[in-house]
Amino acid sequence: MTVSHPFPGLPLSSVDRRDALVVSRPRHRHRRRAPWAAAVLATLALSGCATFSSDGGFGAVADAAQQHLGQPVTWARDDAAAQDLAKARDDLLSRPLDIDAAVRLTLLNHRGLQATYEELGIAEASLVQAGRLPNPRFSFQRVQGGGDISIERTWGLDFVRVLTMPLASRIEARRFAQVQAQVTQAIIEQATLTRRAWIEAVAAQERVQILEQTSLATQAASELADGMARAGNFSAMRRTQENLVYADTAARLARAREQAGTAREQLARQMGLWGQQLPFTLPARLPALPRTRPVWPDAEAQALRDRADIRAARAALDSTASDLGLTRITRFVNVLDTAYRNNSATGSPSERGYEISLEVPLFDWGTARVAGAQARYRQSVDRLADTAVAARADVRTRRAQMLAAWDIAEHYRVTILPMRQRVSDEWLLRYNGMLASAFDLLTDAREQRDTVLAYIDATADFWLAEASFRESLGGGEAGSHDTAGTASAPAAPQGTVSPPTPAVSPSQPSSAHQHGGGA
């Protein structure tokens, strides 16, 4: 008799058959055969003791994450480990969070990642289950009629599961490896999200600082304009213009504060923080730009080696190739059932025999199944090639975006900011020589503010592009393939922006206003 396939979705092989060993013994022979049956069951039990690994397969994931991110990863599998992670989290929160500390905090504290790690336990349970022998079956039947009694005792074992155990174990091992790759990719993606959130939060905070300084200057200008208008030295239009500038700056400051709050909440969400953990401290400035233009000559090769989608496509190709080989082997014989019978009844001799059921390939020679398997194999080959082409294009695109962002930010740092500083210095000289008024200095401060804000945006765009480029490589560390300047920049987020004076110069008009007011 043929029963449903024990592993749905797998191709039938030469060992993919439902073999039922049925041994039925009369009562008067049970005592003599009992030791033999016990020995068989003991052998099967010992051979079926597949066990779990000590780390649940997390060691390979932690090593891969360490290689890609340069950060350790911990799976809190018990209360003691969870308490250790909480202590490490509190220690990180006690200091300002640079970008690496934010990633580290995410790997320690993000409950979504901890939930993702449990996929390893689920996959390993399936792997262990596939390597264990099925339990034997026992049935007892007693039939009485016409003064005769018939007794049957049946021991059965699902031989198809025994014969397909190597196949099932290989399949579950491949699936377990795929789950490990998926968990590693989830860690990399979460680290990338944290990096982006940190960059946006620090940039938004820096914008607020610049606008707060500018707001003080425009407020002083507005008050000075009011006083001069009351004294009859300012027209109503000039007074309104200064008041409008202050009102516009106040609106921009309010919008910047709202954006900074949103960016901070997004960062807290990515790090898994809540409650009393929220008052964390961020650096005052973004990391300084790399001094040299980033270079990554082997970017495409690294992407083909490390990207999760490439690894998944390769694993799918290997699995399809194995299925194709098995399909070719089982194209003729796909069903073979065997059974052994030993029955007895009162007044009748014992009956012994066996039964074989074989599928005869009269109409179906298996060519359709082989053709389908070959088509799936060619499909996997083409998908792997297409994934590789897409990965190369993605790396080139993001690398070009990163280099363009660096060129723009470097142009601001080397050319525009120094020129803007020279203009401010000239206005200050004119003011000291009584050739310019305090309002001229305040106007220059507003223009300088816009330049500094543009430089902050350009710097943030570079670091965001750099984070996206890392992700396209599979999460690789920049330090292993980049220049020394690029590698050191993310590790020193507390460094000042190269020309420091523009960041604080908007406060100069405030002191100039005080000087003008006292004159």
Side-chain angles (χ1 to χ4, degrees):
M1 57 181 176
T2 302
V3 189
S4 60
H5 196 287
F7 301 100
L10 299 181
L12 294 174
S13 66
S14 59
V15 296
D16 195 5
R17 303 180 284 272
R18 188 75 163 183
D19 297 351
L21 175 60
V22 181
V23 181
S24 178
R25 304 176 182 83
R27 178 181 299 175
H28 64 276
R29 303 184 64 182
H30 178 262
R31 294 184 179 273
R32 187 166 60 88
R33 296 282 182 98
W36 177 85
V40 172
L41 291 178
T43 302
L44 294 178
L46 291 176
S47 63
C49 292
T51 59
F52 291 88
S53 60
S54 59
D55 62 353
F58 189 73
V61 174
D63 293 341
Q66 177 75 35
Q67 178 184 359
H68 291 308
L69 302 176
Q71 298 281 358
V73 183
T74 305
W75 183 7
R77 305 184 69 181
D78 50 40
D79 293 339
Q83 292 176 0
D84 292 339
L85 292 183
K87 292 179 182 179
R89 177 201 64 203
D90 295 338
D91 181 64
L92 287 173
L93 289 175
S94 65
R95 304 186 299 269
L97 293 177
D98 60 20
I99 192 168
D100 291 329
V103 173
R104 171 68 176 146
L105 185 57
T106 297
L107 300 181
L108 289 174
N109 194 59
H110 199 280
R111 299 300 294 270
L113 284 180
Q114 295 293 327
T116 302
Y117 300 158
E118 297 297 337
E119 293 291 338
L120 294 171
I122 298 173
E124 189 184 35
S126 300
L127 175 59
V128 172
Q129 185 65 40
R132 290 184 175 178
L133 288 170
N135 293 324
R137 301 185 307 273
F138 173 76
S139 63
F140 176 84
Q141 179 179 358
R142 184 180 184 277
V143 179
Q144 181 177 1
D148 296 334
I149 298 177
S150 174
I151 297 176
E152 291 187 8
R153 300 178 185 87
T154 304
W155 285 93
L157 184 65
D158 189 355
F159 268 144
V160 70
R161 289 189 58 184
V162 175
L163 297 176
T164 57
M165 275 178 56
L167 171 64
S169 297
R170 288 195 298 270
I171 291 173
E172 291 299 332
R174 283 197 294 264
R175 181 179 178 274
F176 186 58
Q178 290 176 350
V179 171
Q180 288 178 317
Q182 292 170 1
V183 172
T184 303
Q185 182 62 22
I187 294 173
I188 294 173
E189 290 177 354
Q190 186 58 48
T192 301
L193 291 175
T194 302
R195 286 180 178 275
R196 296 181 64 88
W198 185 92
I199 294 167
E200 291 173 352
V202 175
Q205 175 182 274
E206 195 170 354
R207 295 187 193 98
V208 170
Q209 295 172 358
I210 297 300
L211 288 173
E212 284 177 346
Q213 295 175 1
T214 308
S215 179
L216 293 176
T218 55
Q219 181 182 7
S222 178
E223 293 173 356
L224 179 60
D226 291 339
M228 296 187 69
R230 287 192 297 269
N233 296 326
F234 251 26
S235 65
M237 183 184 70
R238 183 71 182 273
R239 173 185 180 181
T240 304
Q241 287 177 338
E242 296 299 332
N243 292 338
L244 178 61
V245 170
Y246 171 57
D248 179 70
T249 303
R252 294 181 63 178
L253 176 59
R255 186 179 299 109
R257 285 173 173 168
E258 183 274 330
Q259 293 173 351
T262 300
R264 186 181 177 89
E265 286 296 332
Q266 181 64 22
L267 176 59
R269 169 67 185 89
Q270 298 302 332
M271 296 188 298
L273 301 179
W274 64 283
Q276 297 181 353
Q277 306 162 4
L278 292 177
F280 56 89
T281 305
L282 294 175
R285 300 176 186 274
L286 286 170
L289 280 177
R291 290 295 182 178
T292 57
R293 199 170 191 261
V295 292
W296 206 300
D298 58 343
E300 295 184 30
Q302 182 180 352
L304 295 180
R305 183 178 64 250
D306 296 340
R307 280 179 65 118
D309 53 351
I310 298 293
R311 295 198 302 269
R314 286 173 178 166
L317 178 60
D318 294 339
S319 177
T320 306
S322 299
D323 293 345
L324 175 58
L326 291 172
T327 303
R328 285 173 173 170
I329 293 174
T330 61
R331 61 178 300 181
F332 297 115
V333 178
N334 196 39
V335 176
L336 177 61
D337 295 336
T338 62
Y340 175 73
R341 301 181 180 278
N342 188 342
N343 301 328
S344 65
T346 304
S348 300
S350 298
E351 298 178 353
R352 300 180 181 86
Y354 60 88
E355 175 183 320
I356 298 178
S357 176
L358 175 66
E359 180 183 276
V360 179
L362 184 60
F363 302 107
D364 184 7
W365 288 80
T367 55
R369 290 188 292 110
V370 172
Q374 290 175 341
R376 287 189 293 271
Y377 175 77
R378 291 192 299 269
Q379 183 184 56
S380 297
V381 172
D382 292 335
R383 282 180 175 172
L384 174 59
D386 180 68
T387 304
V389 171
R392 287 177 177 272
D394 186 44
V395 169
R396 291 194 301 270
T397 300
R398 298 196 189 193
R399 183 175 182 271
Q401 292 173 347
M402 179 188 66
L403 295 179
W406 184 88
D407 291 339
I408 294 173
E410 181 70 3
H411 180 66
Y412 268 97
R413 188 182 69 86
V414 174
T415 303
I416 297 180
L417 285 178
M419 292 177 64
R420 171 53 58 189
Q421 185 61 46
R422 287 197 296 270
V423 171
S424 298
D425 294 341
E426 288 295 328
W427 276 115
L428 186 59
L429 290 175
R430 286 173 175 270
Y431 175 75
N432 291 333
M434 296 184 181
L435 300 177
S437 67
F439 291 100
D440 294 328
L441 290 181
L442 293 171
T443 300
D444 176 71
R446 292 195 297 268
E447 295 175 354
Q448 192 178 30
R449 171 205 64 192
D450 295 337
T451 303
V452 173
L453 289 177
Y455 174 67
I456 294 173
D457 292 340
T459 305
D461 289 342
F462 167 75
W463 289 119
L464 290 173
E466 194 264 353
S468 297
F469 179 60
R470 286 192 185 195
E471 184 182 21
S472 70
L473 296 175
E477 272 291 313
S480 59
H481 292 277
D482 210 347
T483 61
T486 305
S488 62
Q494 296 181 1
T496 57
V497 179
S498 179
T501 50
V504 297
S505 60
S507 62
Q508 294 175 358
S510 177
S511 60
H513 164 64
Q514 294 172 2
H515 170 71

